Amino acid sequence: MFLIKFGNFLNVFLVLFLVSQGFSAFQAGAALGVVGVGAFIGNAVGGTVADRFGRRTAIAVSMFGSSAATALVPLAHGLVATTALVGLVGVFAQLYRPAAGALLIDVVPEKQRVTAFAVLRLAINVGMAVGPLVGGLLSGASYTYVFLGDALSSLAFGALALLTLPGGRPTPHEASPAEATRPKGGYRTVLADRPYLLFLGSMVAATFVYGQSTATLPLHVTDAGFDNTTYGLLLGLNALLCVVIELPLTKHTERRNPRRVIAAGLALLGLGMALTGAMRSVWLLALTVVVWTVAETIYTPIANAYPAEFSPPHLRGRYQGAEGIAHTLGGALGPAAGGLLYGISAPLHWTACAAVAALGALLILGAKPTPRPTTPTPNPEPVHTA
């Protein structure tokens, strides 16, 4: 996971690459939007592949497909061909995500899952903090190196998956007798799980609000009279705090009621974002970053592990895929709606962020998993003595 986030150069540098090729900012933004559509499809397909063919297979297919498609991007000619290719990258690049989450649930004991997801986020945050710096150096030489570097990181992850990860396909004995006789259902079962839909709604709200850190926060920083360097330092503060405080904080939050922890985190996220609009100095802006970063470290590890409370073993991939779709949807709506509201009225925009976060907190409080039948422990075979 560190490798794939370290080498996630395409999303970071795609717009700059397309503009350097002579395309307009609008065309480049549209191409990036197609990557988001591909990610939406990749999460949905990835959940099915993970459940039917195994977690390791899904990760390998995702990484090798992403590697091949990304390496071809510099060779594409024309906006249509390039956009179609990066859309394919979006599909393959996200196909692994449900499998990775499901595999972690498969192999980590229930009491350690929240900590495991926090450790996973540590690897992700370090990769995302260091990777763009290296990508920037590569882009200074050639954008071809940027895409080849991304392709190589995906190739390395795929190889590691095949060589080191367990297959991760649930075996029939993991399901209870009641679940074994129940129709498989696929995503129909996920969509019929009303408490889980409430959880997914809260995740759409959370990602919508958190997405303002890259959508409208830079606009506010510029309107306050600061340059891009200041904005970069604020994001650096966010990454540093996540690395330093998330694991210690998780040791305390994992013992609490998960719905209340997530709700508290979302409420604090809304407060931090709402305060942003009132801040006009660097230090006060940094304080708001601290507030919503603490919120992020409170709710995210718990929320990442929470789908395990809903999903039967044979549908873990689909439940993880649905969560990925929720985040993708929130990530698409956040910049679009946020940018529109900010253009109409900045104070209205930041107030709306608080309202959306509050709605997410209310939704998660109602997202109580339906108890599932437990698998009875089989009687041991009799021991025959001579």
Side-chain angles (χ1 to χ4, degrees), residues 134-163:
V134 176
L137 295 175
L138 292 175
S139 68
S142 171
Y143 281 109
T144 299
Y145 295 149
V146 170
F147 296 113
L148 288 179
D150 192 325
L152 287 174
S153 70
S154 298
L155 187 65
F157 186 13
L160 281 174
L162 288 180
L163 295 173

Side-chain angles (χ1 to χ4, degrees), residues 35 47 59 104 113 130 135 142 162 190 211 226 320 333-335 343 366:
V35 176
I59 293 173
L104 204 62
R113 282 174 185 160
V130 179
S142 171
L162 288 180
V190 178
F226 304 107
Q320 289 288 321
L333 292 175

Side-chain angles (χ1 to χ4, degrees), residues 150-321:
D150 192 325
L152 287 174
S153 70
S154 298
L155 187 65
F157 186 13
L160 281 174
L162 288 180
L163 295 173
T164 66
L165 295 182
R169 188 177 183 181
T171 55
H173 75 269
E174 287 185 87
S176 69
E179 288 171 341
T181 59
R182 194 176 299 161
K184 294 299 181 182
Y187 279 110
R188 286 178 297 175
T189 301
V190 178
L191 295 176
D193 190 338
R194 292 186 179 181
Y196 193 64
L197 294 181
L198 293 177
F199 167 73
L200 294 180
S202 73
M203 291 300 98
V204 173
T207 308
F208 179 99
V209 177
Y210 186 80
Q212 304 311 312
S213 63
T214 54
T216 53
L217 178 59
L219 299 177
H220 178 72
V221 170
T222 301
D223 290 344
F226 304 107
D227 56 15
N228 290 344
T229 301
T230 301
Y231 172 64
L233 290 173
L234 292 174
L235 287 190
L237 175 62
N238 166 248
L240 178 63
L241 285 173
C242 285
V243 170
V244 172
I245 70 173
E246 186 161 310
L247 273 176
L249 190 59
T250 300
K251 292 181 180 179
H252 299 284
T253 57
E254 67 180 349
R255 305 169 187 168
R256 312 288 181 178
N257 182 299
R259 297 192 307 281
R260 293 177 182 175
V261 172
I262 297 171
L266 292 183
L268 189 60
L269 174 68
L271 175 63
M273 284 296 177
L275 289 174
T276 300
M279 303 307 171
R280 292 283 169 175
S281 73
V282 172
W283 296 111
L284 290 177
L285 283 170
L287 180 61
T288 65
V289 171
V290 171
V291 173
W292 55 258
T293 300
V294 171
E296 174 190 2
T297 60
I298 288 174
Y299 79 82
T300 305
I302 307 292
N304 286 344
Y306 200 47
E309 302 293 326
F310 296 87
S311 56
H314 68 286
L315 290 178
R316 281 174 182 160
R318 267 90 156 197
Y319 272 77
Q320 289 288 321

Side-chain angles (χ1 to χ4, degrees), residues 205 208-209 266-267 269-271 273-274 341 348-363:
F208 179 99
V209 177
L266 292 183
L269 174 68
L271 175 63
M273 284 296 177
L341 280 175
L348 173 64
H349 163 69
W350 297 115
T351 303
C353 286
V356 172
L359 174 62
L362 290 175
L363 290 174

